[in-house]
Amino acid sequence: MTKIVIVGGVAGGASAAARARRLSEDAEIIMFERGEFVSFANCGLPYHIGGDIKDRSKLLLQTPQSFLARFNVDVRVLNEVVSINRANKTVTVRNLLDQTEYQESYDFLLLSPGASPITPNISGINNPLTHTLRNIPDMDKILRSLNTNKPQHATVVGGGFIGLEMVEAFHQLGISTSLIEMSDQVMTPVDREMTGFVHSEIKEKGIDLRLNSALEAVEFDNSSQNLTLSLSSGEQISTGILIMAIGVRPETSLAKEAGLTIGSLGGIQTNDQLQTSDPSIYAVGDAIEEKDFVTEQPTLVPLAGPANRQGRMAADNIFGRNESYQGTQGTAICKVFDLAVASMGKNEKQLIQSSTDYEKVYVHTASHASYYPGAETVSLKILFHPTSGVLLGAQAVGKDGIDKRIDVLAVAQRAGMTVEQLQHLELTYAPPYGSAKDVINQAAFVASNIIKGDATPIHYHQIDQLSENQLLLDVRNPNELSNGNFLEGAVNIPVDQLRERMTELPKDKEIIIYCQVGLRGNVAYRQLVNNGYKARNLIGGFRTYQFSRF
């Protein structure tokens, strides 16, 4: 009889336990969880705080009793595995209720300890009004603080998933909120120009967004139950509750002490079968370094989807099935008030860092047929190899249809599709749901035009570096050029007048064409090059340039 010991529940550990039981009725399966809850929806925690999820019990996916009843798994909560004896194949467990310790043997050990929130070494950070959010007890502490102190102002440090979700939660509760982010953007999986849409939405909702700003010190006033935050800008904020959401790091202390190999990024190193350096010990989830789907290099991606799949796969391999993990794409989405922001694969920053050749396109078009009510703009960025057209990554922002487009592109990337092949995707169309030429098709047309030489692109970040040998041409209608919505120094000839007025343009200069989103610019580009002009079209048009400044 095989005996499997699992350290940690939630996504990876719980999935492994359930899969192991489905594969074998005879195996002895014990799962240790140092917390009170073995399987909970940690992604739902901010939504309970904000009131979207009313019933707290809905966050509890499994209890020790339900796990035992359905899967015959011995779940021991409030039991922490404190050491591993690899030679004897035993673990030492501490019962956190009475602090007694005991040993448990294993044939196979699966580590799913997760990741812990990063709390920087900042003066005054340890106080009763400062919180992190990683589990149910963290959520309960935040709710108690809100109910007891009834703060008028909240501050969130960190503009990632948890940070943005907590900003929205506080906003829904009617609490004035500041968001502090050390970099020049929120949502680092998405490139800076795409987060301009998110910055605009955050500010529109009245959130005090402070980019390029770091928290340097915290002062707690016990009498007023208030915090004074000192920022790197020299400014101070008075706030009633502080959420630290600057990221997580792999929980590897148990693995380190056991002598398991830790990777260069700080996670537990595993092979494609999710085995650690000890073949009897597997590891999954946020604690491990997984293989990046695009680069095939180690990466850290603390997402629930990969953790669940890894848990299932590790259980398969414990029973000799020899499954290989095929890499993490980092496909993710976040709700930010009325917007959704999503990404998959590599972003531009990562491609530059890894010296990977790439090209990019932007399209801004309707989520479904524009003549049917309710259509919203989908802003989509696709990154691809400039010659092979292999899909490297994608990002999308908008109010409708964002998950649909990124999910399709994530499947396309895993299938090895090129942007040329994306032209041929046949996606559902009816006016309430899509368009005859979907957003993805349109992005693929633009990308394929570039690869084939039918279009010569220029990008938003190159516009401010034009030379005297280049001339800006705005092909929008004059009524679109109000309130500063134009590029300084541009000549305006609407695209529908261009054939008749083309001689107004000099042939000894490169014509840099732009319109609102790039579509009319492409029409103008083809007219000009077919008449002997040298030209380039601003991909994504003025909209991309404009929001890159937010």
Side-chain angles (χ1 to χ4, degrees), residues 32 52 100 141 152 202 206 338 487:
F32 294 106
D52 294 299
T100 58
K141 287 177 186 175
Q152 300 301 301
I202 292 170
D338 297 329
L487 297 175

Side-chain angles (χ1 to χ4, degrees), residues 467-471 506-511 533-535:
S467 71
E468 60 184 18
N469 296 317
Q470 295 170 306
L471 182 143
K507 279 204 168 181
D508 61 346
K509 290 190 176 184
E510 183 179 52
I511 311 301
Y533 285 83
K534 185 180 180 183

